[in-house]
Amino acid sequence: MLGCVDLVRASTICMLSRLSRKQIQSAYSVLSRLNMQIVEALTKSTQPNMTQLLDASTEFYSLIPHDFGIRQPPLIDTEDKIKAKIEMLDSLLDIELAYNLMKTTGTSGEDPVDQHYAKLKSNIQPLPKDCDEYRRLCDYVTKTHAPTHSQYSLQVE
């Protein structure tokens, strides 16, 4: 049975997985508008229009759901807050890309891991055993064991 925290986490993941690329792009443009308002106010040495900031912040939170509980959503009124939201949107786009790559599965008998690597459209090949990188990786595997992991040893194939 799921605990309360697990249910909240599951509902948050479900909510975020339903975000479309269009919503995320719209949220970028809202943040851009907010940034222009803040920069304009800073260059004029005035306070930004609070009504416009509130409207744009509300629009952003409508596009990208947040869980504030019963608290009022914070106003997005500084460049640092905008940067943090942009980083969040960048992460959401990365998640959306990875999710789309993962959800499409091939019908061939190929191993699912190989299918996912193929979707990355990169040429991943094993390293030759006589190259420096291979030897360095072997050294890392054998020499970076924590003292608590001494009951077994690893071999690189």
Side-chain angles (χ1 to χ4, degrees), residues 114 116-128 133:
D114 292 334
H116 293 308
Y117 277 126
K119 289 176 192 171
L120 293 174
K121 295 183 171 74
S122 61
N123 187 12
I124 300 172
Q125 297 293 325
L127 290 171
E133 288 175 298

Side-chain angles (χ1 to χ4, degrees), residues 1 30 103 111 121 128 157:
M1 186 167 201
V30 171
K103 78 177 183 179
D111 183 84
K121 295 183 171 74
E157 294 181 1

Side-chain angles (χ1 to χ4, degrees), residues 29-90:
S29 67
V30 171
L31 291 177
S32 176
R33 243 183 17 240
L34 275 165
N35 193 51
M36 287 190 318
Q37 292 170 4
I38 292 169
V39 168
E40 183 179 318
L42 287 173
T43 56
K44 293 181 180 178
S45 298
T46 61
Q47 290 293 320
N49 183 322
M50 296 310 277
T51 304
Q52 290 178 343
L53 290 179
L54 180 61
D55 288 346
S57 294
T58 302
E59 183 180 354
F60 177 80
Y61 292 128
S62 296
L63 289 165
I64 309 296
H66 289 61
D67 182 14
F68 298 111
I70 59 172
R71 294 173 292 135
Q72 183 176 0
L75 191 63
I76 304 172
D77 58 352
T78 65
E79 289 180 288
D80 287 339
K81 289 180 183 176
I82 290 172
K83 284 180 187 175
K85 296 300 180 188
I86 287 173
E87 288 174 10
M88 180 193 69
L89 292 178
D90 290 343

Side-chain angles (χ1 to χ4, degrees), residues 125-139 155-157:
Q125 297 293 325
L127 290 171
K129 291 186 179 188
D130 60 346
C131 77
D132 287 336
E133 288 175 298
Y134 181 84
R135 284 190 290 277
R136 195 172 314 127
L137 287 172
C138 288
D139 283 345
Q155 291 181 330
V156 179
E157 294 181 1

Side-chain angles (χ1 to χ4, degrees), residues 132-152:
D132 287 336
E133 288 175 298
Y134 181 84
R135 284 190 290 277
R136 195 172 314 127
L137 287 172
C138 288
D139 283 345
Y140 287 145
V141 168
T142 56
K143 293 179 181 176
T144 58
H145 264 25
T148 56
H149 295 83
S150 60
Q151 62 269 25
Y152 63 89

